[in-house]
Every structure is written in C-alpha cells, then in structure tokens.
Amino acid sequence: MRVLLVEDEVRLAEMVRQGLVDAGFNVDVEHTGPEGLWAATERTYDVVVLDIMLPGMDGYRVCAKLREAGVWTPVLMLTAKDGEYDLADALDLGADDYLTKPFSFVVLLARLRALIRRGGAVRPPVLAVGDLTLDPARRKVARGSTEIALTPREFALLEFLMRHAGDVVSKTEILENVWDAHYDGPANVVEVYVGYLRRKIDQPYGRTTIETVRGAGYRLVDG
C-alpha cells in the first residue's frame, strides 16, 4: 500500500514514516501544502495523511483542490486543532477521516487500514457535453467511444470547463481553480493549455468545443 504523508514537522513526519514503513507501507513524504498537492495530483496513492497547518497552502485548501481536480484518494487529516468546527470543515471539504495530535500510532494505523478498505469518497457523476465525456472518478476522457489521453493538468482544465459548460470563465478563474491563486509562472499558461486541449479533444474530430470569448475568457460548448 502506498501512502503520501504531508507534514511540516520534520521529526514527526520521520517518526510516522518509519512506523508506516515498518508496518509494510510504501511512504512518500512532503513538507508543504503545494508539494503535497502536486504529489497527490501527479502520483497514485492508496491514502493521503494530510496535516492541516502547512506552509504555502493549508491542508483544507489542499484537500479541496484535490477533490476539485477529481482526485478521490482517501484523505485522513492530521491536526493539533480539536474543535468540532475544524472537524466539520475538514469533512465538508472532502476529507474522509480526522485525527487530532497527539495521537496513538496504533490508532492511526487502524484508521488508515479502514480507509483503504472503504476506498475513496463518493464518486461524482460522469460529465458530458455532446459526445465528449469526462469521468472524474476513473479519470477518463472520451470523444464518443474513443478514449483521449490527457495529462493531469489538461484533465483538471477540461473538468473545470465542463463543470461550467456554456458559461464564460475568465483566465483568472481558471488560474485560481486549476492552478492556484498565488500562481506566478508564465502569464500565457492558460492559453498554452487550452491549445493543448484543442489539439486533443477538438482538432482530430473537426470540432470547436472550446470557444475563445475575446476580452472575457473561454466557454465550452457542444461544438
């Protein structure tokens, strides 16, 4: 079983990692929110152990972004907080379980095994616009009966557009939901990835699913 541990307390992270390895798990460790989000999005895990108080991006936001990106790996939140509202926030944002520090490693291990047995959260329905379909749970995209291979970022962009089908979404909205509100990379990254998508989901099929609305953004239609 493969576990992603996202914990900024280096000593605690190493203790938990070693305990999980001794219990037969394969463990990857990240120490910041953005690093944890990247790992959970780009790699496959059976369960994610996610601290709430993380540098760069807190665990609440990491969990929410994972679910928005269609990543339904079970998430167990670790935190020093113990209020009922913190628990409610974690579960509302898509976490599957919650453990307060300090915790018993035996309990952590039991909860991880229970999460793995149960599997992830309730899967969302398949999205469809015309004959273009996107299955967030199985992470599959198809045009009719033809499956289309997308990178994780392309998949996230297409899912965001399909969830807002018919609506004009701005580049800023796309950056905040598909990348991050604090993204500081190349300014044309949205145009670049829209181009990638068009070459995969539209051009081979003679379609114009993704429309450019000048001065406003993009709109996905049944083209």
Side-chain angles (χ1 to χ4, degrees), residues 170-181:
S170 68
K171 294 178 184 177
T172 299
E173 290 175 305
I174 292 173
L175 282 173
E176 289 179 349
N177 288 275
V178 179
W179 277 263
D180 183 81

Side-chain angles (χ1 to χ4, degrees), residues 4-8 30-38 40-41 48-68 71 73-81 85-99 101 180:
L4 172 63
L5 172 61
V6 190
E7 169 60 64
D8 65 323
E30 300 293 348
H31 297 294
T32 72
E35 290 170 345
L37 177 62
W38 181 89
T41 304
V48 176
V49 180
L50 179 64
D51 188 26
I52 288 181
M53 302 304 289
L54 292 168
M57 182 188 303
D58 67 36
Y60 293 127
R61 187 164 174 79
V62 172
C63 187
K65 281 191 165 291
L66 287 178
R67 299 320 189 208
E68 289 170 7
V71 177
T73 307
V75 172
L76 184 147
M77 301 287 265
L78 282 183
T79 180
K81 297 183 177 182
Y85 291 107
D86 298 315
L87 169 58
D89 287 342
L91 297 177
D92 285 344
L93 288 169
D96 300 274
D97 203 353
Y98 184 99
L99 197 56
K101 300 175 184 175
D180 183 81

Side-chain angles (χ1 to χ4, degrees), residues 86-209:
D86 298 315
L87 169 58
D89 287 342
L91 297 177
D92 285 344
L93 288 169
D96 300 274
D97 203 353
Y98 184 99
L99 197 56
T100 303
K101 300 175 184 175
F103 54 85
S104 161
F105 182 77
V106 173
V107 173
L108 171 64
L109 198 57
R111 291 195 177 187
L112 291 182
R113 286 173 172 154
L115 284 178
I116 291 169
R117 286 196 301 271
R118 290 205 309 262
V122 176
R123 269 52 172 175
V126 174
L127 304 176
V129 176
D131 65 347
L132 179 66
T133 58
L134 182 148
D135 186 336
R138 299 173 64 204
R139 299 191 67 77
K140 288 189 175 182
V141 173
R143 175 71 80 177
S145 60
T146 304
E147 190 170 332
I148 302 171
L150 300 181
T151 67
R153 188 74 73 184
E154 292 166 352
F155 186 96
L157 173 56
L158 179 59
E159 182 177 7
F160 181 73
L161 292 172
M162 291 186 75
R163 289 189 184 280
H164 297 83
D167 298 334
V168 177
V169 292
S170 68
K171 294 178 184 177
T172 299
E173 290 175 305
I174 292 173
L175 282 173
E176 289 179 349
N177 288 275
V178 179
W179 277 263
D180 183 81
H182 304 291
Y183 172 79
D184 59 0
N188 68 337
V189 67
V190 174
E191 293 97 316
V192 170
Y193 272 83
V194 166
Y196 291 160
L197 273 183
R198 283 172 169 158
R199 287 195 287 274
K200 291 184 176 182
I201 69 171
D202 280 351
Q203 292 176 9
Y205 308 95
R207 306 296 182 87
T208 54
T209 304

